[in-house]
Amino acid sequence: MARDTTDQTPIASIAELSDYLAQGSKTVDRFRIGTEHEKFAFFKADNSPVPYDGEASISALLNGMAKKSGWEPIIDAGKIIGLVEQSGRGAISLEPGGQFELSGAPLENIHETCKESNRHLADLREIAEPLGIRFLGMGGSPKWSLAETPRMPKSRYDIMSRYMPKVGTKGLDMMYRTCTIQVNLDFSSEEDMRRKMQVSLKLQPLSTALFASSPFTEGKPNGLQSWRGDIWRDTDNQRAGVLPSAFKPEFGFKDYVEWALDVPMYFVVRDGRYHDCTHVTFRQFMNGALKGEIADWQPNMGDWTNHLSTLFPDVRLKRFLEMRGADGGPWRRICALPAFWVGLLYDDAALDAAEQLTRHWSYEDTLSMRDAVPAEGLNAKLNGVSLFDIGREVIGISRLGLQNRKRLNGDGMDESIFLSPLDEVIAKKATLAEDMLALYNGRWNGSVEPVFEDYQY
């Protein structure tokens, strides 16, 4: 999230919080695709991380992109921490360790999404190249220790950094040493949200396996295909993971709100200052828990919107649904991830087929896959069937959905062309992580240094 929200509208009841989510419902013709991708910045001279300050730095990249794009700088305590397109057509933000993120505009098809990401990367390379900076696309930092990783001057991250070690063993790794590709998709009603939430939660472990690309930690193989996926298994389990309530036949906006109300907060923003609120839940906040601690202690809709952005389930509900399971990766995967989910969720026949395929998968089944995938990847099994086989079928359903959408480029090709990186994974029976490990044990001669050359943007 590039900029935390300010909305002073008072909250009078819990029902208003459910209504806020319900107001995200759109007619199908207004469905859009919002893609986010993160990448690691490094110096090409020695593959070291890029600091925030200095002539060649993260702040220099942001200032350069501001001049090139005309986007408005986002300032936190006097420091530039992001950019936003003034009409809401995109934003650039920083993750805690300097991971550079584009939050794309709401677009109508994957052809536009791919053009957007390519244009962003081209602009960024133009700014970065004179500074000796390049970018790495994978799910986990392959070389740098936590101590070596820079920290960005963003107020919410200071609060999170203090809090994470209290609630899990891997929260700081999540913040500072992982990257993801995500897509944000719309729903038309509470029922449509429910169907999409349930199907996508069940299939999120498959997404993690298909996009697994984080097999190295601090210069060595870590025994995993998705280190990032493993990190999320013990980051902050009160606010992350698979939601049991989402598997209920009657799951709705109110159920998500009731869960969110009992998750500890991170902060509230008053007069531009961030107040640490990790000691109270949002329900306690609504019941007056901050009275006497801050002057303006009554909760408002901006507080609720910000709180929703600090929840990390595998599929996050705002006024849209966020698919959060995939590792970051090379540029072709920036297009493949939204294509995968759009094909499954934006076509009625495909959604019906995906729902039918997963109808008997329980919360326990999904959790079991989520636990197995970081180490086993597509070799993980559900009821004796490998995720390779399940993945082949699901990609076929996604392809059907994309073909049914009939969104064509200038050459008459539909959006299913963007599934080709996933077709390659299934055809080779090897994830990108396994490809990287094969190179490490072969041409790379037991070194991770070549990853910076082979998988850079």
Side-chain angles (χ1 to χ4, degrees), residues 33-35 105 107-118 334-335 338:
I33 304 160
T35 303
L107 302 173
E108 293 188 22
N109 60 65
I110 310 299
H111 304 296
E112 293 178 352
T113 294
C114 216
K115 288 178 182 176
E116 174 192 60
S117 63
N118 288 338
I334 300 172
C335 310

Side-chain angles (χ1 to χ4, degrees), residues 137-140 208 211-215 225-227 327-330 333 432-433 436:
M138 59 187 301
T208 302
F211 287 85
S213 67
S214 46
Q225 295 188 40
S226 178
W227 177 40
D327 282 9
R333 290 175 173 234
L432 181 57
M436 290 176 172

Side-chain angles (χ1 to χ4, degrees), residues 26-93:
K26 297 178 174 66
T27 56
V28 173
D29 62 293
R30 294 174 59 220
F31 280 7
R32 294 295 183 267
I33 304 160
T35 303
E36 304 177 19
H37 74 268
E38 303 163 0
K39 53 269 186 196
F40 296 105
F42 68 93
F43 287 116
K44 63 181 180 181
D46 59 2
N47 301 332
S48 62
V50 177
Y52 175 79
D53 283 313
E55 186 174 331
S57 62
I58 297 294
S59 59
L61 291 174
L62 286 173
N63 284 314
M65 289 293 283
K67 290 178 183 177
K68 184 168 185 62
S69 66
W71 290 11
E72 177 187 344
I74 302 170
I75 305 298
D76 184 346
K79 299 280 191 177
I80 185 170
I81 59 163
L83 307 171
V84 63
E85 201 280 330
Q86 292 86 331
S87 65
R89 299 287 295 175
I92 292 172
S93 59

